[in-house]
Amino acid sequence: MDVEIQINNSSSASSKFVGWTPSPCRIRITNPAGSQGQAQHDIRLTSVSAASAGAVVFRSGTTGAFASPFTVRVPINGNWVSFFMAGRFGRASVNLNDVRIEARRGNALVGSTTCTVRIRKNANNLTPGERDRFIAAFAQLNNQGAGPFTNFRDMHTNVSSPQAHGAPGFLPWHRAYLLDLERELQRIDPSVALHYWRFDRPSPNIFTRDFMGVSDNIGTVFFSPTNPLQFWVTDGVQGINRRPFFNTNAAPPGLRTEAETIGLGANFTAFRVMEGNPHGSAHVSFGGSISSIGTAARDPLFFMLHCNVDRLWAKWQRQNNNRFNAAQAVAYDNTPSPIGHNLPNTMWPWNGITGPPRPPTAPGGTLAASPLVSAPGNSPRVRDMLDYQGQISAPAYMGFDYDDVPFV
Ligand SMILES: [Cu+2]
């Protein structure tokens, strides 16, 4: 007997990724030899991997407990049987395809596949391999100033700032922006996720020559000879200028901690003051490009800073029951706001709209598609950015998760 297992209901290698959010999967019997006249068989799925690697769990539908091993009854006629698979919380992958899924009938192995539990992690805790793949993809996206990274730099400027800052759309806009960038990184290396700088904790491993670089006292950032970020070019200028005003073996002083940020209030209107502190405070804990909106996107660290801002929102959403639901008033600030910041509005630049009150150009085209998931679509509205795990709108999830924010 042989079975075939498809992750995200696809046989493509680019579909073999899961997060904490359950992915639709399916199994069928492709060769019924040895069925002994039975119309169906119980197939046991097990996640097999080293303790330091990823692991997955299964369930049959959209509710109920996850398990591994997990038994699924499959007919011999070749019809697909659906199930769901998710990363086991706390067991993100470290390497591509480091999880093996075995299918057994009794003790006999009848099929197997591999997958990756791809999760946005605390960048301070990456393995050297994860770190190096992440910065290699980033450097490739920049391609010494000639790559598609230019669009991301050009999306975040003084002229576009009102689309993204100073109003409720700050968090949804940057969520879309990071997701667009992450999908471009994954086009280069599908094993990569966008990792975050947890700026309220010491992160000495980020500020090294092998990772985001070490600054001298005028802000020139130095890299090790093997670090591909040494070739970084933006706006025609070689290198990165960043001058920390804090000891990079410690956290910047004066920032709200994670607990203080999440504790700002159970209402989005109260929570979104985090755009000032910690978000703005983290930016101005440096001199150099990252300290101003118009130039921040020249520095790759900016994206890791914002990834933590987005994670804080995700954590707040989870801890304040059901803040994924745009229909619930406390999940968003519904005070009438400039265009681009109200729930029904589409967001620039992915909507391609130019001319006042939108900016004069729309760099980068529509939001990058994912080979796994359909949400949030190529021209998302503000309201489309809240439910990133598809808690309300399952199965429309966005295909990212944070290492310490489970699927509810
Ligand atoms: Cu910004």
Side-chain angles (χ1 to χ4, degrees), residues 156 164-165 170 173-174 279 302 306:
H156 197 278
H165 304 98
F170 166 73
W173 189 91
H174 285 85
H279 158 258
F302 161 70
H306 259 281

Side-chain angles (χ1 to χ4, degrees), residues 230-255:
Q230 68 188 290
F231 304 112
W232 192 258
V233 176
T234 51
D235 299 350
V237 178
Q238 165 87 46
I240 296 163
N241 189 271
R242 177 203 311 142
R243 192 157 44 93
F245 296 141
F246 61 100
N247 173 357
T248 54
N249 288 315
L255 272 61

Side-chain angles (χ1 to χ4, degrees), residues 291-311:
S291 63
S292 307
I293 286 176
T295 53
R298 291 179 186 167
D299 187 339
L301 179 66
F302 161 70
F303 297 90
M304 292 164 62
L305 184 162
H306 259 281
C307 193
N308 193 46
V309 170
D310 188 68
R311 168 181 158 274

